[in-house]
Amino acid sequence: MMKLTILAAIAASAAAFAPAAPAATTTSLAAFESELGSQPPLGFFDPLGMLDEADQARFDRLRFVEIKHGRVAQLAFLGQIVTRNGIHLPGNIDYAGHSFDSFGNGWAALEGPNAIPQEGFSQILLFVGFLEASVMIDVEGTGNEHIGDFRNGYIDFGWDTFDEETKLSKRAIELNNGRAAMMGILGLMVHEQLGGELPIVGPM
């Protein structure tokens, strides 16, 4: 089941980045070589040619997806480290008295003898759907500055106090951390099936 899920996730990611029909106006690859994320040691890295004959709208869409996937992967990787080190929310997850730490970590929380009940998993999916449809979106006309800026006029955390150089630096850090986290969580999903023990993460 887990192997099928991993393959499905990879296929879904590939579909998200699948080449679209060429637009009427295309942009030279050189126009993207100075974009955020094109940095040492790899520089501009597009081995699958997803930006061949792409226009700016195509690039912006891919960047939007990359940032969102990276953010989700960072949360997932951090969740693995935290729960596998015995840190869970206090109290019970339901009225029946099941504590948060009574369920498995990682994939074991979704499938197996210690998995969250289907009703609970359905609630998680509904909540994620709500975030996807109503929160993690870029609302036009609210002052957002770049792709992936989801402040929408009501969240700031001091962003407007930074100068442009600092903003670019922080965006590049987030982008790179997201890329590393996507590889990291995929690696953990594979190791969960292989078993054994990993540094920091612990027993799989």
Side-chain angles (χ1 to χ4, degrees), residues 11 42 110 118 123 127 139 146 156 166 172 181 197:
L42 295 179
L110 304 179
Q118 185 61 45
Q123 292 179 49
F127 180 64
V139 179
H146 53 80
D156 184 71
T166 302
E197 186 169 339

Side-chain angles (χ1 to χ4, degrees), residues 153-167:
Y154 66 92
I155 298 177
D156 184 71
F157 299 118
W159 179 259
D160 288 335
T161 64
F162 300 137
D163 57 35
E164 291 304 315
E165 183 178 356
T166 302
K167 288 180 179 181

Side-chain angles (χ1 to χ4, degrees), residues 7-198:
L7 290 175
I10 294 174
S13 298
F17 292 102
T25 303
T26 58
T27 305
S28 169
L29 286 179
F32 302 124
E33 292 180 356
S34 60
E35 289 281 356
L36 185 71
S38 178
Q39 54 200 43
L42 295 179
F44 181 76
F45 187 66
D46 182 29
L48 300 181
M50 290 186 291
L51 292 176
D52 292 349
E53 304 300 322
D55 58 7
Q56 188 64 44
R58 168 75 171 162
F59 177 87
D60 290 345
R61 170 60 183 166
L62 292 175
R63 174 52 51 86
F64 180 87
V65 172
E66 179 185 23
I67 291 175
K68 182 176 285 189
H69 285 182
R71 289 170 177 170
V72 172
Q74 288 177 77
L75 290 173
F77 192 87
L78 181 61
Q80 283 269 12
I81 294 176
V82 170
T83 55
R84 290 186 183 280
N85 278 277
I87 303 174
H88 299 83
L89 292 173
N92 300 323
I93 197 173
D94 56 23
Y95 291 116
H98 297 104
S99 61
F100 282 95
D101 60 4
S102 66
F103 297 97
N105 300 314
W107 187 256
L110 304 179
E111 184 180 54
N114 296 321
I116 298 171
Q118 185 61 45
E119 296 82 358
F121 183 53
S122 297
Q123 292 179 49
I124 294 174
L125 288 180
L126 287 173
F127 180 64
V128 170
F130 165 75
L131 293 178
E132 178 75 13
S134 304
V135 179
M136 305 300 289
I137 57 176
D138 186 348
V139 179
E140 294 185 10
T142 55
N144 295 339
E145 299 177 0
H146 53 80
I147 301 296
D149 185 352
F150 296 153
R151 291 177 298 157
N152 298 325
Y154 66 92
I155 298 177
D156 184 71
F157 299 118
W159 179 259
D160 288 335
T161 64
F162 300 137
D163 57 35
E164 291 304 315
E165 183 178 356
T166 302
K167 288 180 179 181
L168 282 175
S169 174
K170 290 184 176 297
R171 288 174 58 198
I173 290 171
E174 181 195 26
L175 196 58
N176 277 341
N177 286 350
R179 290 167 174 173
M182 285 188 277
M183 299 299 294
I185 192 61
L186 180 60
L188 288 180
M189 291 170 66
V190 172
H191 276 285
E192 277 189 295
Q193 303 309 300
L194 298 177
E197 186 169 339
L198 295 176

Side-chain angles (χ1 to χ4, degrees), residues 1-16:
M1 177 65 180
M2 180 57 180
K3 294 178 181 178
L4 291 175
T5 302
I6 294 175
L7 290 175
I10 294 174
S13 298

